[in-house]
Amino acid sequence: MHTHVLFEHPLNEKMRTWLRIEFLIQQLNCNLPVRDHASALHFFRNIGDLLDVFERGEVRTDLLKELERQQRKLKQWDEVPGVDKSRIESLRQQLKNSSSILMTAPRVGQLLREDKLIALVRQRLSIPGGCCSFDLPTLHIWLHAPQSKRDAQVTHWLESLEPMNQALTLIVDLIRNSAAFRKQTSLNGFFQDNGEDADLLRLQLVLDDQLYPQISGHKSRFAIRFLPLDSENGTVPERLDFELACC
């Protein structure tokens, strides 16, 4: 039984941003509840990174545009003979609801940006060891508060991200499921093809091969070079089969 490793590569800037946000939110939820300095620093560092990502682009605008685009795509599917109309209608309703919630929600990350404790910790994170108790007595005392009080605050912070997270999850799931994996073969560790306006490449490799893909490209064309994990002694087979989905 082979273990497969899934690699995903965004083919445009908005997809790159969405995958980063998804990754950071997964990390945020990884070390909960926040009990000590280690889990607190993991949590606050990811909050800080998320705020940096939000500040770089129009996350809400891009998500709202994509919710509209996905609704239009589903409308086209609705006219295909034999399609599951109730499933299409259910997805369209989810997209519509998510769009309404996101439109009326406050600016993405606003509550986190205005929080004094988050701001204090964020300032100190770039200093090596800058979150010691003598540097950040506020964090130190917060970590000595009852667990229930800390849990309630963390829940409040995470709930403020929910309208954005709900829209993002829906969109990324639809994109991932828009194309099936197909068997492809690379020659001498190289493969290229047309992207056909795709947003995302998904690639599955067998772990035993000890290879990883180096992907370059954009929505109309992409190239994949396969490299050995052990750069000194590893080899790349002349012909390598792998699974690829162009979403």
Side-chain angles (χ1 to χ4, degrees), residues 114-239:
E114 291 170 356
D115 190 274
K116 285 187 177 133
L117 180 61
I118 290 174
L120 276 170
V121 179
R122 205 175 162 202
Q123 279 170 12
R124 310 289 310 175
L125 280 169
S126 59
I127 301 162
C131 295
C132 289
S133 60
F134 59 84
D135 275 318
L136 263 180
T138 335
L139 176 65
H140 190 62
I141 194 138
W142 185 74
L143 286 168
H144 281 79
Q147 187 65 46
S148 58
K149 192 179 173 184
R150 236 183 353 270
D151 289 348
Q153 192 156 15
V154 167
T155 301
H156 179 56
W157 287 333
L158 293 178
E159 278 173 354
S160 74
L161 296 171
E162 216 29 55
M164 180 269 310
N165 191 28
Q166 190 188 27
L168 181 74
T169 303
L170 196 51
I171 286 166
V172 174
D173 279 356
L174 279 169
I175 290 171
R176 283 184 174 126
N177 290 312
S178 68
F181 281 102
R182 289 194 173 88
K183 187 182 159 188
Q184 304 287 2
T185 305
S186 78
L187 298 174
N188 298 314
F190 187 74
F191 180 85
Q192 64 177 358
D193 202 358
N194 294 321
E196 294 164 1
D197 284 344
D199 291 301
L200 180 70
L201 285 184
R202 308 185 80 217
L203 193 152
Q204 291 200 109
L205 290 178
V206 176
L207 180 62
D208 293 351
D209 289 337
Q210 290 290 284
L211 298 171
Y212 66 92
Q214 201 173 62
I215 303 170
S216 59
H218 48 83
K219 60 183 181 180
S220 58
R221 194 151 189 78
F222 64 87
I224 306 169
R225 192 169 288 286
F226 294 95
L227 300 166
L229 193 56
D230 180 351
S231 56
E232 298 292 314
N233 308 305
T235 56
V236 181
E238 196 177 311
R239 293 176 70 84

Side-chain angles (χ1 to χ4, degrees), residues 1-245:
M1 185 72 181
H2 290 300
T3 301
H4 285 83
V5 183
L6 174 69
F7 294 88
E8 291 189 324
H9 187 84
L11 293 173
N12 52 49
E13 200 50 47
K14 67 176 187 189
M15 196 73 220
R16 183 174 279 109
T17 299
W18 294 343
L19 290 182
R20 283 185 175 142
I21 292 171
E22 181 190 54
F23 171 76
L24 287 166
I25 286 177
Q26 285 168 355
Q27 295 303 306
L28 267 183
N29 289 294
C30 229
N31 271 18
L32 295 181
V34 175
R35 295 185 185 278
D36 48 28
H37 266 92
S39 53
L41 292 184
H42 173 91
F43 181 82
F44 285 112
R45 183 163 277 114
N46 282 295
I47 287 272
D49 286 352
L50 255 183
L51 291 174
D52 287 344
V53 173
F54 294 157
E55 277 155 23
R56 279 188 213 130
E58 291 297 317
V59 176
R60 176 156 58 180
T61 309
D62 286 343
L63 286 172
L64 286 168
K65 279 183 192 164
E66 188 63 23
L67 288 165
E68 283 296 319
R69 184 175 83 104
Q70 291 292 343
Q71 283 183 69
R72 287 197 300 275
K73 277 174 81 173
L74 286 172
K75 202 171 183 181
Q76 290 166 1
W77 271 104
D78 211 12
E79 290 149 24
V80 176
V83 80
D84 184 344
K85 285 188 182 291
S86 62
R87 175 86 179 118
I88 297 275
E89 190 46 47
S90 159
L91 281 169
R92 277 178 67 186
Q93 205 51 56
Q94 284 180 56
L95 288 163
K96 219 171 169 180
N97 292 346
S98 196
S99 196
S100 305
I101 292 166
L102 189 59
M103 265 180 176
T104 54
R107 187 172 163 229
V108 177
Q110 188 177 330
L111 183 124
L112 304 177
R113 213 172 277 108
E114 291 170 356
D115 190 274
K116 285 187 177 133
L117 180 61
I118 290 174
L120 276 170
V121 179
R122 205 175 162 202
Q123 279 170 12
R124 310 289 310 175
L125 280 169
S126 59
I127 301 162
C131 295
C132 289
S133 60
F134 59 84
D135 275 318
L136 263 180
T138 335
L139 176 65
H140 190 62
I141 194 138
W142 185 74
L143 286 168
H144 281 79
Q147 187 65 46
S148 58
K149 192 179 173 184
R150 236 183 353 270
D151 289 348
Q153 192 156 15
V154 167
T155 301
H156 179 56
W157 287 333
L158 293 178
E159 278 173 354
S160 74
L161 296 171
E162 216 29 55
M164 180 269 310
N165 191 28
Q166 190 188 27
L168 181 74
T169 303
L170 196 51
I171 286 166
V172 174
D173 279 356
L174 279 169
I175 290 171
R176 283 184 174 126
N177 290 312
S178 68
F181 281 102
R182 289 194 173 88
K183 187 182 159 188
Q184 304 287 2
T185 305
S186 78
L187 298 174
N188 298 314
F190 187 74
F191 180 85
Q192 64 177 358
D193 202 358
N194 294 321
E196 294 164 1
D197 284 344
D199 291 301
L200 180 70
L201 285 184
R202 308 185 80 217
L203 193 152
Q204 291 200 109
L205 290 178
V206 176
L207 180 62
D208 293 351
D209 289 337
Q210 290 290 284
L211 298 171
Y212 66 92
Q214 201 173 62
I215 303 170
S216 59
H218 48 83
K219 60 183 181 180
S220 58
R221 194 151 189 78
F222 64 87
I224 306 169
R225 192 169 288 286
F226 294 95
L227 300 166
L229 193 56
D230 180 351
S231 56
E232 298 292 314
N233 308 305
T235 56
V236 181
E238 196 177 311
R239 293 176 70 84
L240 172 75
D241 291 338
F242 63 98
E243 300 271 320
L244 183 71

